[in-house]
Amino acid sequence: MAIVRAMAILKIALMGHPVLKQVAAPVGDPKSAEIGRLIENMIDTLADAAGAGLAAPQVHVPLRLVMFHVPAARACEEDGEAADEAAGGCPFIVLINPEIEVLSEDISEGVEACLSLPGLAGMVPRYRHIRYRGLDHRGDIVEREATGFHARVVQHECDHLDGILYPMRMDDLSTLTFTSETSRAREEEETEERENAEHG
Ligand code: NI
């Protein structure tokens, strides 16, 4: 009989929780059973929440570990560059003790949301072109260049390890919005357009 691993959805810390404000500690042994379990549970939690990324402090574990993926559809957003790997999205990546190197001072503004601020989104400036490195769950070195949305996700997740949430990076807080309002406004606009079309 196959042994089925029990799925574990972890509780996500919300903005204001002290664990999201602290500087997380480096992971000592990426290959330990505890870290393996944490990674499995975070994968379940991220899949359940349908997010692009998750950092360990968001599940109340103050360690330097993040995970993310870039859906192909979003890979070329913002910069419009078909940068080799980014063009096909990026596969699921677990990054332990990550470091970011900024490769260009170019900044782009893009919409971000976060599982720790449910329902909200805002415009956040991020570096367009970075290199990141860290260890994977086997303790092997991961090193990649990233642009556009891929670079944005990495910067967002790594910020969590230093107690930074995306509103702290925003230039214009007036763009911080409940997405329910944005979609309602869009729906109203579409209805209006449809009515105008019908009447015109
Ligand atoms: Ni986040």
Side-chain angles (χ1 to χ4, degrees), residues 12-162:
I12 294 177
L14 300 183
M15 180 167 66
H17 192 291
V19 75
L20 295 176
K21 296 180 189 172
Q22 71 190 85
V23 175
V27 172
D29 178 7
K31 290 178 283 185
S32 71
E34 289 95 329
I35 294 300
R37 219 168 12 249
L38 172 65
I39 290 170
E40 283 180 357
N41 292 341
M42 283 177 64
I43 289 172
D44 289 345
T45 306
L46 182 57
D48 179 65
L54 188 65
Q58 290 184 277
V59 293
H60 306 84
V61 178
L63 289 175
R64 305 189 80 79
L65 187 157
V66 301
M67 58 178 58
F68 52 87
H69 62 105
V70 178
R74 304 210 61 179
C76 300
E77 263 178 34
E78 293 176 29
D79 60 359
E81 279 168 28
D84 44 30
E85 285 174 324
C90 105
F92 196 82
I93 291 184
V94 173
L95 213 51
I96 295 167
N97 301 335
E99 282 169 37
I100 291 178
E101 185 188 339
V102 174
L103 295 179
S104 151
E105 292 299 315
D106 282 359
I107 302 273
S108 71
E109 292 264 347
V111 178
E112 289 187 26
C114 179
L115 296 173
S116 294
L117 289 74
L120 287 167
M123 292 294 284
V124 185
R126 296 285 185 187
Y127 292 109
R128 283 183 55 179
H129 191 190
I130 62 166
R131 178 183 292 128
Y132 61 89
R133 61 180 83 72
L135 302 174
D136 68 11
H137 60 289
R138 290 179 298 261
D140 293 334
I141 291 172
V142 178
E143 184 170 338
R144 276 176 167 241
E145 274 189 39
T147 57
F149 183 74
H150 185 176
R152 173 174 299 282
V153 172
V154 175
Q155 290 169 80
H156 175 120
E157 296 312 326
C158 290
D159 263 357
H160 277 297
L161 307 181
D162 293 322

Side-chain angles (χ1 to χ4, degrees), residues 2 36 56 78 90 168 173 184:
E78 293 176 29
C90 105
M168 296 157 76
L173 277 173
R184 180 159 52 190

